[in-house]
Amino acid sequence: MSDIIKTQHSLAIKAKHNSDHPLNHLYRLICREEWIRTAIQAVLSNQGARTAGIDGMTKKTLATEIAQAELVRELQAELKSKQFRPVPVRRVYIPKANGKQRPLGIPTLKDRTVQMLLKMVLEPIYESDFLNCSNGFRPQRRTQDCITILYSYINRRNKYYWVIEGDIKAAFDSIHHQILLKLMAKRIAAQSLLKVI
């Protein structure tokens, strides 16, 4: 088991057993070389790594070990000195089935790597809050997994015959960031990590 997985497991246990105690000393995790390398690999394994942000960097740019090592050094130096600042995203528009266009922001690979680092730290902490029946947007789960649960409920004995599905229009577009950060500050005591977020 890697040190990253052990640390994530430890964070999950602490979060599960003491949800009122804010976690500290998290910022140092995103500064570790092994964590940055792992985050870069996760970002590069994503199909979107072929699409450049405003800096023009793509998966091809980081095809060599030397290029990746340089990005690790650069990111580690910026994070340790607390000088990291994300750059604006590249805006493109994706056509929708109804003829409208959906705006899509494409961050740089460097910014995506920092986002992945944050995910690596935060996911084990917040995963402990979810119920087992919650499947959407979670690791190793899909919204389609809900169908399995529904099959066990929809029958003549339970007398459930209908499934109602809903969607909140532009849900992620309307999240109030200040409220979200205040809620995060209840679990995360590391102010330096909250500043990066």
Side-chain angles (χ1 to χ4, degrees):
M1 185 184 295
S2 78
D3 286 341
I4 294 172
I5 294 171
K6 285 179 188 174
T7 303
Q8 289 174 320
H9 185 68
S10 173
L11 290 172
I13 290 171
K14 286 177 186 175
K16 181 97 173 154
H17 294 293
N18 201 351
S19 61
D20 294 336
H21 181 70
L23 296 166
N24 209 341
H25 307 296
L26 299 174
Y27 189 81
R28 63 183 167 77
L29 296 175
I30 69 169
C31 297
R32 290 184 180 172
E33 182 179 339
E34 181 187 5
W35 283 64
I36 297 170
R37 285 189 180 284
T38 302
I40 288 172
Q41 290 307 312
V43 168
L44 293 178
S45 69
N46 190 310
Q47 203 172 21
R50 296 180 300 177
T51 307
I54 64 168
D55 63 354
M57 186 186 294
T58 65
K59 185 175 183 172
K60 280 186 181 179
T61 314
L62 297 174
T64 67
E65 189 62 39
I66 294 168
Q68 288 180 30
E70 178 57 36
L71 180 59
V72 169
R73 278 192 297 277
E74 184 182 325
L75 253 178
Q76 190 174 35
E78 286 182 30
L79 289 167
K80 280 185 173 182
S81 65
K82 297 189 170 95
Q83 298 300 310
F84 172 78
R85 299 291 178 271
V87 296
V89 297
R90 186 175 135 225
R91 176 69 70 194
V92 295
Y93 291 89
I94 308 296
K96 292 170 67 172
N98 63 5
K100 294 183 179 180
Q101 292 191 325
R102 180 173 68 92
L104 180 67
I106 303 171
T108 63
L109 289 180
K110 186 175 173 181
D111 288 354
R112 286 183 239 179
T113 301
V114 173
Q115 291 171 359
M116 181 59 68
L117 283 164
L118 293 169
K119 177 185 181 287
M120 290 165 61
V121 171
L122 297 173
E123 189 172 72
I125 295 167
Y126 287 98
E127 265 296 306
S128 66
D129 292 340
F130 287 105
L131 298 174
N132 193 41
C133 61
S134 176
N135 291 305
F137 303 104
R138 292 182 65 197
Q140 311 302 315
R141 294 173 183 245
R142 319 173 295 162
T143 51
Q144 289 84 351
D145 293 335
C146 296
I147 294 169
T148 304
I149 296 166
L150 292 174
Y151 273 131
S152 67
Y153 288 124
I154 299 174
N155 58 50
R156 291 175 191 230
R157 184 176 45 101
N158 289 335
K159 298 186 179 172
Y160 295 129
Y161 302 109
W162 296 92
V163 175
I164 300 172
E165 187 264 340
D167 188 16
I168 300 171
K169 183 180 177 182
F172 293 112
D173 298 340
S174 59
I175 290 174
H176 194 289
H177 292 129
Q178 292 306 316
I179 293 172
L180 186 59
L181 284 171
K182 283 180 184 176
L183 289 170
M184 291 185 79
K186 290 181 179 181
R187 284 306 274 287
I188 310 297
Q191 288 300 311
S192 49
L193 192 75
L194 291 172
K195 284 181 183 176
V196 174
I197 294 169

